[in-house]
Amino acid sequence: MDFKKVLISVDASANAGRAVDYAAAMLAGVTDVRVTLLYIERAPGRDRFESEEAWLGQCQLDHERVFDFLKEARGMLLAAGLPKDAVTERTERCSTEPSIAQTILDIQQTGGYGTLVVGRRGITKGEEFLFGSVSTKLVRDARNCAVWVVQ
Amino acid sequence: MPESVPLPENESVRALVKRFNSPVSIHSYGEVYSDTTEFMNITYGDVIAVGGRHFLVLGDERERRFGMEDPKFWVKRCLELETGGYRILKLEFQEGFDQHIGPLTIPCRRSAAKEARILRLVAGDGRFMQGESFHDARGNVVRVLQRVDGRRLDLNVEDIRANHRTYFHEIYPDILERFIRACRAIHFLHEHGETHGDIRRDHLYELHDTGEYCWIDFDYGYEATENPFGLDLFGLGNILCFITGKGVHTTQDRARDEDGPLITEADCALFFRHRIVNLRKLFPYVPEALNRVLMHYSAESEVYYETVPELLADLEPCLEVLRRK
């Protein structure tokens, strides 16, 4: 694994923003670094919406919010001094199975990323029990790479 | 999903009601509804026409929990006029609400489409309530359910006249065996990308004829999360604690027992800090391995079950141990 090949897993949350900010500070001035901003797209739960239109509307909103976020995140990395061609964006779709964490790990493995960066929400034990935690699963299951968990 | 047929002439519905030898007294019948949007207006003596069939409304279903009764105006007790069969009709009620589990709030929505989907998935599978769904004249999803011929498992367990030791050694193994099968039924849903969504002990029935367990009411829809089956696993744990303890045991109950074991927060459920899950402290003959399963649901646990196979991998050997004794 190449530790200078960095995979930053983001959504459009403030936690992801902090992860990008941290990575930008850490990677500024590092030579030969390559960064991929990865967004795992999962459609909102269809059963929570009154109609197909309402659900599609939320999908569109989510899509736009992430598009804006990725643009902003790229800007943060370039502003820190990373070369333009060192930063790429990637979006992958994911359904219920495999989980988001597993999808990230699959991409990390196949892409040979040696560093994985992720934000953390800081959830309670109860929330972790019921909803699960991407960062906890990444720390538990990641192999052959460093995991940076940014609170 | 079959579309609703055109509304028959009122006269033909009147003839159906007249021909039908109702076991209840119907003095007159009211409106015929092919559009169930205004379900609050549909009441005793009305007829719901959907899916080419006619259902005489006997009343609203009620939810009975913790000694309270809440009318469910969107759930109608009915007689099917064509067959005389008793049916439950669940009408589409687009309700969003917050579900509270301990300190957590979870946004949730009643989803008729989800329940209709699962009914199709489990058709012919006795581990689940059975029924069909139809669109009414306005496109609302109406679920026509067969009555579950059984009784709530928790009520049956509470009614068993035996002390806990006798219950645990002589009756519980059979209950656990059937509960494990009920867990596998939930796994079947998960394998098909579905969740039950509202697993609680009053949603599991014991069938009169076979004694097997049957899940009801799966219309709650949630946001997808990293742990999509977490809520179901939580519900299964609650039922497991209930059947193992032959009821709920709380710190309040134990406060009166001065000679009893010291119960701490670590012995209690993660979400309900007064509910004891460390049952081996109360009943020392509960095997260690079974108690370890229960402790996954305690406040001190750091590891949680995420899938039914994970739970069953620990639980099934416990049954074998109980059978050997």
Side-chain angles (χ1 to χ4, degrees), chain B residues 110-142:
Chain B
R110 241 175 243 292
S111 172
K114 179 199 172 207
E115 192 158 72
R117 216 167 53 221
I118 295 181
L119 284 172
R120 282 197 297 279
L121 176 66
V122 302
D125 185 338
R127 300 173 300 176
F128 300 92
M129 72 176 184
Q130 296 291 297
E132 302 166 84
S133 56
F134 303 94
H135 283 125
D136 73 6
R138 278 279 289 274
N140 296 301
V141 177
V142 177

PDB file of all heavy atoms in Angstrom, chain B residues 110-142:
ATOM      1  N   ARG B 110     -45.196   5.745   8.888  1.00  0.00           N
ATOM      2  CA  ARG B 110     -46.038   4.586   8.591  1.00  0.00           C
ATOM      3  C   ARG B 110     -46.074   4.416   7.075  1.00  0.00           C
ATOM      4  O   ARG B 110     -46.515   5.316   6.369  1.00  0.00           O
ATOM      5  CB  ARG B 110     -47.465   4.882   9.059  1.00  0.00           C
ATOM      6  CG  ARG B 110     -47.977   3.967  10.079  1.00  0.00           C
ATOM      7  CD  ARG B 110     -49.321   4.408  10.543  1.00  0.00           C
ATOM      8  NE  ARG B 110     -49.289   4.748  11.949  1.00  0.00           N
ATOM      9  CZ  ARG B 110     -49.110   3.883  12.916  1.00  0.00           C
ATOM     10  NH1 ARG B 110     -48.976   2.611  12.640  1.00  0.00           N
ATOM     11  NH2 ARG B 110     -49.086   4.277  14.166  1.00  0.00           N
ATOM     12  N   SER B 111     -45.627   3.285   6.602  1.00  0.00           N
ATOM     13  CA  SER B 111     -45.543   3.094   5.156  1.00  0.00           C
ATOM     14  C   SER B 111     -46.405   1.915   4.733  1.00  0.00           C
ATOM     15  O   SER B 111     -46.039   0.747   4.937  1.00  0.00           O
ATOM     16  CB  SER B 111     -44.085   2.857   4.747  1.00  0.00           C
ATOM     17  OG  SER B 111     -44.027   2.484   3.391  1.00  0.00           O
ATOM     18  N   ALA B 112     -47.546   2.248   4.120  1.00  0.00           N
ATOM     19  CA  ALA B 112     -48.427   1.193   3.614  1.00  0.00           C
ATOM     20  C   ALA B 112     -47.725   0.431   2.494  1.00  0.00           C
ATOM     21  O   ALA B 112     -47.878  -0.784   2.363  1.00  0.00           O
ATOM     22  CB  ALA B 112     -49.721   1.811   3.101  1.00  0.00           C
ATOM     23  N   ALA B 113     -46.947   1.153   1.692  1.00  0.00           N
ATOM     24  CA  ALA B 113     -46.256   0.512   0.564  1.00  0.00           C
ATOM     25  C   ALA B 113     -45.265  -0.530   1.075  1.00  0.00           C
ATOM     26  O   ALA B 113     -45.127  -1.615   0.500  1.00  0.00           O
ATOM     27  CB  ALA B 113     -45.532   1.567  -0.266  1.00  0.00           C
ATOM     28  N   LYS B 114     -44.583  -0.202   2.181  1.00  0.00           N
ATOM     29  CA  LYS B 114     -43.605  -1.157   2.729  1.00  0.00           C
ATOM     30  C   LYS B 114     -44.319  -2.427   3.197  1.00  0.00           C
ATOM     31  O   LYS B 114     -43.899  -3.536   2.901  1.00  0.00           O
ATOM     32  CB  LYS B 114     -42.851  -0.517   3.897  1.00  0.00           C
ATOM     33  CG  LYS B 114     -41.838  -1.468   4.515  1.00  0.00           C
ATOM     34  CD  LYS B 114     -41.428  -1.041   5.906  1.00  0.00           C
ATOM     35  CE  LYS B 114     -40.580  -2.125   6.560  1.00  0.00           C
ATOM     36  NZ  LYS B 114     -40.650  -2.118   8.009  1.00  0.00           N
ATOM     37  N   GLU B 115     -45.410  -2.238   3.934  1.00  0.00           N
ATOM     38  CA  GLU B 115     -46.109  -3.411   4.451  1.00  0.00           C
ATOM     39  C   GLU B 115     -46.682  -4.253   3.306  1.00  0.00           C
ATOM     40  O   GLU B 115     -46.650  -5.490   3.354  1.00  0.00           O
ATOM     41  CB  GLU B 115     -47.216  -3.000   5.421  1.00  0.00           C
ATOM     42  CG  GLU B 115     -47.754  -4.179   6.200  1.00  0.00           C
ATOM     43  CD  GLU B 115     -48.438  -3.761   7.490  1.00  0.00           C
ATOM     44  OE1 GLU B 115     -49.544  -3.192   7.424  1.00  0.00           O
ATOM     45  OE2 GLU B 115     -47.864  -3.974   8.564  1.00  0.00           O
ATOM     46  N   ALA B 116     -47.186  -3.574   2.276  1.00  0.00           N
ATOM     47  CA  ALA B 116     -47.721  -4.304   1.120  1.00  0.00           C
ATOM     48  C   ALA B 116     -46.617  -5.122   0.448  1.00  0.00           C
ATOM     49  O   ALA B 116     -46.825  -6.271   0.046  1.00  0.00           O
ATOM     50  CB  ALA B 116     -48.327  -3.312   0.127  1.00  0.00           C
ATOM     51  N   ARG B 117     -45.446  -4.514   0.354  1.00  0.00           N
ATOM     52  CA  ARG B 117     -44.297  -5.199  -0.250  1.00  0.00           C
ATOM     53  C   ARG B 117     -43.948  -6.459   0.544  1.00  0.00           C
ATOM     54  O   ARG B 117     -43.722  -7.527  -0.017  1.00  0.00           O
ATOM     55  CB  ARG B 117     -43.128  -4.214  -0.205  1.00  0.00           C
ATOM     56  CG  ARG B 117     -42.197  -4.247  -1.382  1.00  0.00           C
ATOM     57  CD  ARG B 117     -41.302  -3.028  -1.373  1.00  0.00           C
ATOM     58  NE  ARG B 117     -40.594  -2.834  -0.124  1.00  0.00           N
ATOM     59  CZ  ARG B 117     -40.421  -1.631   0.449  1.00  0.00           C
ATOM     60  NH1 ARG B 117     -40.930  -0.551  -0.105  1.00  0.00           N
ATOM     61  NH2 ARG B 117     -39.750  -1.528   1.577  1.00  0.00           N
ATOM     62  N   ILE B 118     -43.928  -6.320   1.875  1.00  0.00           N
ATOM     63  CA  ILE B 118     -43.557  -7.471   2.714  1.00  0.00           C
ATOM     64  C   ILE B 118     -44.651  -8.538   2.663  1.00  0.00           C
ATOM     65  O   ILE B 118     -44.360  -9.735   2.646  1.00  0.00           O
ATOM     66  CB  ILE B 118     -43.252  -7.020   4.154  1.00  0.00           C
ATOM     67  CG1 ILE B 118     -42.001  -6.128   4.149  1.00  0.00           C
ATOM     68  CG2 ILE B 118     -43.036  -8.221   5.073  1.00  0.00           C
ATOM     69  CD1 ILE B 118     -41.571  -5.639   5.512  1.00  0.00           C
ATOM     70  N   LEU B 119     -45.906  -8.124   2.607  1.00  0.00           N
ATOM     71  CA  LEU B 119     -46.987  -9.110   2.499  1.00  0.00           C
ATOM     72  C   LEU B 119     -46.811  -9.972   1.252  1.00  0.00           C
ATOM     73  O   LEU B 119     -47.051 -11.180   1.277  1.00  0.00           O
ATOM     74  CB  LEU B 119     -48.348  -8.403   2.473  1.00  0.00           C
ATOM     75  CG  LEU B 119     -48.857  -7.872   3.816  1.00  0.00           C
ATOM     76  CD1 LEU B 119     -50.114  -7.031   3.610  1.00  0.00           C
ATOM     77  CD2 LEU B 119     -49.133  -9.002   4.802  1.00  0.00           C
ATOM     78  N   ARG B 120     -46.394  -9.334   0.171  1.00  0.00           N
ATOM     79  CA  ARG B 120     -46.159 -10.106  -1.061  1.00  0.00           C
ATOM     80  C   ARG B 120     -44.978 -11.059  -0.869  1.00  0.00           C
ATOM     81  O   ARG B 120     -45.013 -12.207  -1.279  1.00  0.00           O
ATOM     82  CB  ARG B 120     -45.868  -9.154  -2.236  1.00  0.00           C
ATOM     83  CG  ARG B 120     -47.110  -8.507  -2.818  1.00  0.00           C
ATOM     84  CD  ARG B 120     -46.841  -7.916  -4.197  1.00  0.00           C
ATOM     85  NE  ARG B 120     -45.858  -6.845  -4.167  1.00  0.00           N
ATOM     86  CZ  ARG B 120     -46.122  -5.585  -3.827  1.00  0.00           C
ATOM     87  NH1 ARG B 120     -47.340  -5.232  -3.499  1.00  0.00           N
ATOM     88  NH2 ARG B 120     -45.167  -4.664  -3.836  1.00  0.00           N
ATOM     89  N   LEU B 121     -43.946 -10.552  -0.181  1.00  0.00           N
ATOM     90  CA  LEU B 121     -42.742 -11.358   0.035  1.00  0.00           C
ATOM     91  C   LEU B 121     -43.025 -12.596   0.888  1.00  0.00           C
ATOM     92  O   LEU B 121     -42.468 -13.664   0.648  1.00  0.00           O
ATOM     93  CB  LEU B 121     -41.663 -10.487   0.711  1.00  0.00           C
ATOM     94  CG  LEU B 121     -40.358 -11.172   1.109  1.00  0.00           C
ATOM     95  CD1 LEU B 121     -39.589 -11.639  -0.127  1.00  0.00           C
ATOM     96  CD2 LEU B 121     -39.487 -10.231   1.942  1.00  0.00           C
ATOM     97  N   VAL B 122     -43.892 -12.448   1.882  1.00  0.00           N
ATOM     98  CA  VAL B 122     -44.088 -13.538   2.858  1.00  0.00           C
ATOM     99  C   VAL B 122     -45.390 -14.316   2.618  1.00  0.00           C
ATOM    100  O   VAL B 122     -45.810 -15.088   3.483  1.00  0.00           O
ATOM    101  CB  VAL B 122     -44.049 -12.998   4.313  1.00  0.00           C
ATOM    102  CG1 VAL B 122     -42.726 -12.308   4.589  1.00  0.00           C
ATOM    103  CG2 VAL B 122     -45.221 -12.069   4.591  1.00  0.00           C
ATOM    104  N   ALA B 123     -45.991 -14.112   1.456  1.00  0.00           N
ATOM    105  CA  ALA B 123     -47.249 -14.821   1.163  1.00  0.00           C
ATOM    106  C   ALA B 123     -47.045 -16.329   1.309  1.00  0.00           C
ATOM    107  O   ALA B 123     -46.106 -16.902   0.748  1.00  0.00           O
ATOM    108  CB  ALA B 123     -47.704 -14.487  -0.258  1.00  0.00           C
ATOM    109  N   GLY B 124     -47.893 -16.960   2.116  1.00  0.00           N
ATOM    110  CA  GLY B 124     -47.813 -18.402   2.326  1.00  0.00           C
ATOM    111  C   GLY B 124     -46.839 -18.813   3.420  1.00  0.00           C
ATOM    112  O   GLY B 124     -46.721 -19.994   3.731  1.00  0.00           O
ATOM    113  N   ASP B 125     -46.156 -17.846   4.011  1.00  0.00           N
ATOM    114  CA  ASP B 125     -45.173 -18.134   5.075  1.00  0.00           C
ATOM    115  C   ASP B 125     -45.831 -17.874   6.429  1.00  0.00           C
ATOM    116  O   ASP B 125     -46.082 -16.728   6.803  1.00  0.00           O
ATOM    117  CB  ASP B 125     -43.952 -17.219   4.880  1.00  0.00           C
ATOM    118  CG  ASP B 125     -42.815 -17.530   5.855  1.00  0.00           C
ATOM    119  OD1 ASP B 125     -43.077 -18.127   6.911  1.00  0.00           O
ATOM    120  OD2 ASP B 125     -41.672 -17.161   5.544  1.00  0.00           O
ATOM    121  N   GLY B 126     -46.121 -18.958   7.146  1.00  0.00           N
ATOM    122  CA  GLY B 126     -46.874 -18.857   8.399  1.00  0.00           C
ATOM    123  C   GLY B 126     -46.146 -18.121   9.510  1.00  0.00           C
ATOM    124  O   GLY B 126     -46.717 -17.886  10.576  1.00  0.00           O
ATOM    125  N   ARG B 127     -44.892 -17.745   9.279  1.00  0.00           N
ATOM    126  CA  ARG B 127     -44.147 -17.006  10.312  1.00  0.00           C
ATOM    127  C   ARG B 127     -44.531 -15.533  10.337  1.00  0.00           C
ATOM    128  O   ARG B 127     -44.066 -14.778  11.183  1.00  0.00           O
ATOM    129  CB  ARG B 127     -42.644 -17.151  10.073  1.00  0.00           C
ATOM    130  CG  ARG B 127     -42.158 -18.599  10.120  1.00  0.00           C
ATOM    131  CD  ARG B 127     -40.707 -18.723   9.724  1.00  0.00           C
ATOM    132  NE  ARG B 127     -40.447 -18.235   8.369  1.00  0.00           N
ATOM    133  CZ  ARG B 127     -39.238 -18.173   7.821  1.00  0.00           C
ATOM    134  NH1 ARG B 127     -38.194 -18.567   8.509  1.00  0.00           N
ATOM    135  NH2 ARG B 127     -39.082 -17.726   6.587  1.00  0.00           N
ATOM    136  N   PHE B 128     -45.384 -15.160   9.369  1.00  0.00           N
ATOM    137  CA  PHE B 128     -45.808 -13.761   9.280  1.00  0.00           C
ATOM    138  C   PHE B 128     -47.315 -13.699   9.074  1.00  0.00           C
ATOM    139  O   PHE B 128     -47.903 -14.609   8.484  1.00  0.00           O
ATOM    140  CB  PHE B 128     -45.137 -13.070   8.084  1.00  0.00           C
ATOM    141  CG  PHE B 128     -43.643 -13.069   8.154  1.00  0.00           C
ATOM    142  CD1 PHE B 128     -42.901 -14.088   7.567  1.00  0.00           C
ATOM    143  CD2 PHE B 128     -42.966 -12.063   8.817  1.00  0.00           C
ATOM    144  CE1 PHE B 128     -41.514 -14.095   7.626  1.00  0.00           C
ATOM    145  CE2 PHE B 128     -41.575 -12.060   8.881  1.00  0.00           C
ATOM    146  CZ  PHE B 128     -40.855 -13.077   8.293  1.00  0.00           C
ATOM    147  N   MET B 129     -47.905 -12.578   9.518  1.00  0.00           N
ATOM    148  CA  MET B 129     -49.317 -12.378   9.226  1.00  0.00           C
ATOM    149  C   MET B 129     -49.497 -12.379   7.707  1.00  0.00           C
ATOM    150  O   MET B 129     -48.591 -12.012   6.963  1.00  0.00           O
ATOM    151  CB  MET B 129     -49.823 -11.071   9.842  1.00  0.00           C
ATOM    152  CG  MET B 129     -49.351  -9.812   9.172  1.00  0.00           C
ATOM    153  SD  MET B 129     -50.110  -8.350   9.936  1.00  0.00           S
ATOM    154  CE  MET B 129     -49.457  -7.072   8.874  1.00  0.00           C
ATOM    155  N   GLN B 130     -50.663 -12.804   7.283  1.00  0.00           N
ATOM    156  CA  GLN B 130     -50.927 -12.975   5.864  1.00  0.00           C
ATOM    157  C   GLN B 130     -51.966 -11.973   5.374  1.00  0.00           C
ATOM    158  O   GLN B 130     -52.851 -11.584   6.124  1.00  0.00           O
ATOM    159  CB  GLN B 130     -51.425 -14.393   5.602  1.00  0.00           C
ATOM    160  CG  GLN B 130     -50.396 -15.467   5.910  1.00  0.00           C
ATOM    161  CD  GLN B 130     -49.225 -15.440   4.937  1.00  0.00           C
ATOM    162  OE1 GLN B 130     -49.413 -15.655   3.748  1.00  0.00           O
ATOM    163  NE2 GLN B 130     -48.030 -15.155   5.447  1.00  0.00           N
ATOM    164  N   GLY B 131     -51.829 -11.611   4.124  1.00  0.00           N
ATOM    165  CA  GLY B 131     -52.812 -10.699   3.563  1.00  0.00           C
ATOM    166  C   GLY B 131     -52.426 -10.287   2.156  1.00  0.00           C
ATOM    167  O   GLY B 131     -51.393 -10.694   1.631  1.00  0.00           O
ATOM    168  N   GLU B 132     -53.294  -9.465   1.584  1.00  0.00           N
ATOM    169  CA  GLU B 132     -53.051  -8.947   0.244  1.00  0.00           C
ATOM    170  C   GLU B 132     -53.205  -7.438   0.299  1.00  0.00           C
ATOM    171  O   GLU B 132     -53.748  -6.910   1.269  1.00  0.00           O
ATOM    172  CB  GLU B 132     -54.106  -9.468  -0.740  1.00  0.00           C
ATOM    173  CG  GLU B 132     -54.210 -10.956  -0.864  1.00  0.00           C
ATOM    174  CD  GLU B 132     -55.491 -11.325  -1.597  1.00  0.00           C
ATOM    175  OE1 GLU B 132     -55.474 -11.314  -2.824  1.00  0.00           O
ATOM    176  OE2 GLU B 132     -56.505 -11.571  -0.923  1.00  0.00           O
ATOM    177  N   SER B 133     -52.798  -6.787  -0.756  1.00  0.00           N
ATOM    178  CA  SER B 133     -53.020  -5.342  -0.793  1.00  0.00           C
ATOM    179  C   SER B 133     -53.583  -4.942  -2.148  1.00  0.00           C
ATOM    180  O   SER B 133     -53.315  -5.590  -3.166  1.00  0.00           O
ATOM    181  CB  SER B 133     -51.723  -4.605  -0.491  1.00  0.00           C
ATOM    182  OG  SER B 133     -50.724  -5.005  -1.390  1.00  0.00           O
ATOM    183  N   PHE B 134     -54.381  -3.903  -2.098  1.00  0.00           N
ATOM    184  CA  PHE B 134     -55.043  -3.403  -3.301  1.00  0.00           C
ATOM    185  C   PHE B 134     -54.982  -1.881  -3.299  1.00  0.00           C
ATOM    186  O   PHE B 134     -54.874  -1.272  -2.233  1.00  0.00           O
ATOM    187  CB  PHE B 134     -56.521  -3.818  -3.323  1.00  0.00           C
ATOM    188  CG  PHE B 134     -56.736  -5.297  -3.232  1.00  0.00           C
ATOM    189  CD1 PHE B 134     -56.952  -5.907  -1.999  1.00  0.00           C
ATOM    190  CD2 PHE B 134     -56.711  -6.085  -4.372  1.00  0.00           C
ATOM    191  CE1 PHE B 134     -57.132  -7.275  -1.914  1.00  0.00           C
ATOM    192  CE2 PHE B 134     -56.898  -7.457  -4.291  1.00  0.00           C
ATOM    193  CZ  PHE B 134     -57.113  -8.054  -3.059  1.00  0.00           C
ATOM    194  N   HIS B 135     -55.090  -1.311  -4.473  1.00  0.00           N
ATOM    195  CA  HIS B 135     -55.259   0.135  -4.554  1.00  0.00           C
ATOM    196  C   HIS B 135     -56.749   0.441  -4.541  1.00  0.00           C
ATOM    197  O   HIS B 135     -57.531  -0.217  -5.232  1.00  0.00           O
ATOM    198  CB  HIS B 135     -54.664   0.679  -5.856  1.00  0.00           C
ATOM    199  CG  HIS B 135     -53.165   0.772  -5.819  1.00  0.00           C
ATOM    200  ND1 HIS B 135     -52.360   0.187  -6.747  1.00  0.00           N
ATOM    201  CD2 HIS B 135     -52.347   1.380  -4.930  1.00  0.00           C
ATOM    202  CE1 HIS B 135     -51.097   0.432  -6.444  1.00  0.00           C
ATOM    203  NE2 HIS B 135     -51.055   1.151  -5.351  1.00  0.00           N
ATOM    204  N   ASP B 136     -57.142   1.431  -3.743  1.00  0.00           N
ATOM    205  CA  ASP B 136     -58.544   1.847  -3.825  1.00  0.00           C
ATOM    206  C   ASP B 136     -58.716   2.801  -5.013  1.00  0.00           C
ATOM    207  O   ASP B 136     -57.771   3.026  -5.785  1.00  0.00           O
ATOM    208  CB  ASP B 136     -59.018   2.443  -2.481  1.00  0.00           C
ATOM    209  CG  ASP B 136     -58.435   3.832  -2.211  1.00  0.00           C
ATOM    210  OD1 ASP B 136     -57.760   4.386  -3.103  1.00  0.00           O
ATOM    211  OD2 ASP B 136     -58.664   4.365  -1.106  1.00  0.00           O
ATOM    212  N   ALA B 137     -59.899   3.357  -5.147  1.00  0.00           N
ATOM    213  CA  ALA B 137     -60.199   4.165  -6.330  1.00  0.00           C
ATOM    214  C   ALA B 137     -59.323   5.415  -6.412  1.00  0.00           C
ATOM    215  O   ALA B 137     -59.153   6.000  -7.490  1.00  0.00           O
ATOM    216  CB  ALA B 137     -61.684   4.554  -6.325  1.00  0.00           C
ATOM    217  N   ARG B 138     -58.749   5.840  -5.276  1.00  0.00           N
ATOM    218  CA  ARG B 138     -57.872   7.021  -5.273  1.00  0.00           C
ATOM    219  C   ARG B 138     -56.402   6.654  -5.231  1.00  0.00           C
ATOM    220  O   ARG B 138     -55.541   7.514  -5.061  1.00  0.00           O
ATOM    221  CB  ARG B 138     -58.205   7.903  -4.054  1.00  0.00           C
ATOM    222  CG  ARG B 138     -59.391   8.820  -4.256  1.00  0.00           C
ATOM    223  CD  ARG B 138     -59.010  10.090  -5.038  1.00  0.00           C
ATOM    224  NE  ARG B 138     -58.197  10.991  -4.256  1.00  0.00           N
ATOM    225  CZ  ARG B 138     -58.662  11.909  -3.413  1.00  0.00           C
ATOM    226  NH1 ARG B 138     -59.959  12.048  -3.259  1.00  0.00           N
ATOM    227  NH2 ARG B 138     -57.851  12.690  -2.749  1.00  0.00           N
ATOM    228  N   GLY B 139     -56.113   5.367  -5.331  1.00  0.00           N
ATOM    229  CA  GLY B 139     -54.714   4.939  -5.333  1.00  0.00           C
ATOM    230  C   GLY B 139     -54.139   4.674  -3.956  1.00  0.00           C
ATOM    231  O   GLY B 139     -52.946   4.387  -3.821  1.00  0.00           O
ATOM    232  N   ASN B 140     -54.961   4.779  -2.922  1.00  0.00           N
ATOM    233  CA  ASN B 140     -54.468   4.439  -1.584  1.00  0.00           C
ATOM    234  C   ASN B 140     -54.222   2.933  -1.487  1.00  0.00           C
ATOM    235  O   ASN B 140     -54.990   2.131  -2.041  1.00  0.00           O
ATOM    236  CB  ASN B 140     -55.503   4.817  -0.510  1.00  0.00           C
ATOM    237  CG  ASN B 140     -55.732   6.304  -0.447  1.00  0.00           C
ATOM    238  OD1 ASN B 140     -54.804   7.065  -0.205  1.00  0.00           O
ATOM    239  ND2 ASN B 140     -56.973   6.714  -0.678  1.00  0.00           N
ATOM    240  N   VAL B 141     -53.178   2.575  -0.755  1.00  0.00           N
ATOM    241  CA  VAL B 141     -52.861   1.155  -0.593  1.00  0.00           C
ATOM    242  C   VAL B 141     -53.660   0.604   0.591  1.00  0.00           C
ATOM    243  O   VAL B 141     -53.487   1.033   1.730  1.00  0.00           O
ATOM    244  CB  VAL B 141     -51.348   0.947  -0.345  1.00  0.00           C
ATOM    245  CG1 VAL B 141     -51.040  -0.531  -0.104  1.00  0.00           C
ATOM    246  CG2 VAL B 141     -50.546   1.463  -1.529  1.00  0.00           C
ATOM    247  N   VAL B 142     -54.551  -0.330   0.297  1.00  0.00           N
ATOM    248  CA  VAL B 142     -55.375  -0.955   1.340  1.00  0.00           C
ATOM    249  C   VAL B 142     -54.880  -2.378   1.544  1.00  0.00           C
ATOM    250  O   VAL B 142     -54.788  -3.155   0.594  1.00  0.00           O
ATOM    251  CB  VAL B 142     -56.860  -0.984   0.916  1.00  0.00           C
ATOM    252  CG1 VAL B 142     -57.696  -1.711   1.966  1.00  0.00           C
ATOM    253  CG2 VAL B 142     -57.379   0.424   0.691  1.00  0.00           C
TER     254      VAL B 142
END
